[in-house]
Amino acid sequence: FNFYGQANVTIDNCTFEYGRYGILTYFNNSLTVTNSTFRYNKKGMQIYDKGLHLSGCTFLNNSEHGVYCDAMKWTSSFDDCVFSNNGVGNYYMGNSTANVAIDDCSFMNSSNGFAFSDTFDVNMECVVVSGNQNGIYTQNGTRIIPSMCTMTGNTNTINLDYGSITL
């Protein structure tokens, strides 16, 4: 599913499977996806530019990325989502206004549970990061702020490549 320059897009209760991309989107307003499944794609979702709000979504067995966010400019949120057995669970690159809130999500059994790049904050609450090569990977100044999170069974639980963590 590909769309470009759309406003006020909400996707609910859909399954995206066996594609190059489940969703590919550029230059839209914030995208909201709820109660949807992305499995067996190259990339479950690729979004460019604005903000992303996920709730109740599952990303399974996507060969490269569960979610790939590039050049994000607005805040994003991930609530009650599962990322499992993806190449990278979630990759998120944005600028200083692209803060991310992650609540009640699981990132499991991927090369990177999630990876972040640039100078924004990632607020994590009740997040499970388990069985990944790198549970959390940051670069270029990302600040991780975890609260009540469980991080077990990762080769490297947190890999800060010019990033920081506030405990």
Side-chain angles (χ1 to χ4, degrees):
F1 187 63
N2 183 357
F3 53 101
Y4 181 93
Q6 302 299 309
N8 303 317
V9 174
T10 298
I11 296 170
D12 182 47
N13 200 29
C14 293
T15 298
F16 300 88
E17 58 187 5
Y18 301 105
R20 184 171 178 199
Y21 304 96
I23 293 176
L24 174 63
T25 177
Y26 291 91
F27 302 110
N28 297 298
N29 285 335
S30 283
L31 172 65
T32 299
V33 182
T34 58
N35 306 310
S36 295
T37 299
F38 299 80
R39 60 184 177 213
Y40 303 108
N41 299 290
K42 183 176 180 181
K43 292 182 181 174
M45 178 184 301
Q46 182 168 329
I47 182 169
Y48 179 84
D49 193 34
K50 301 296 187 213
L52 175 62
H53 304 284
L54 299 175
S55 180
C57 293
T58 302
F59 297 84
L60 300 171
N61 300 307
N62 296 289
S63 62
E64 286 189 8
H65 297 86
V67 176
Y68 185 93
C69 301
D70 190 14
M72 303 300 278
K73 295 178 182 156
W74 296 356
T75 60
S76 294
S77 62
F78 306 123
D79 298 305
D80 194 29
C81 294
V82 174
F83 298 80
S84 182
N85 295 309
N86 299 291
V88 172
N90 183 343
Y91 176 79
Y92 190 94
M93 183 176 69
N95 65 23
S96 62
T97 60
N99 295 329
V100 183
I102 303 172
D103 296 314
D104 299 308
C105 292
S106 297
F107 296 85
M108 303 173 297
N109 305 317
S110 300
S111 62
N112 290 315
F114 51 91
F116 300 101
S117 180
D118 222 326
T119 55
F120 53 85
D121 291 344
V122 179
N123 293 292
M124 300 168 42
E125 186 170 326
C126 299
V127 173
V128 174
V129 182
S130 178
N132 303 287
Q133 182 176 352
N134 291 302
I136 301 170
Y137 178 80
T138 69
Q139 59 186 10
N140 301 321
T142 306
R143 182 171 67 149
I144 305 295
I145 308 164
S147 174
M148 298 181 296
C149 296
T150 301
M151 299 181 200
T152 62
N154 302 290
T155 304
N156 300 301
T157 300
I158 301 172
N159 187 340
L160 301 176
D161 182 5
Y162 185 60
S164 64
I165 188 163
T166 301
L167 298 174

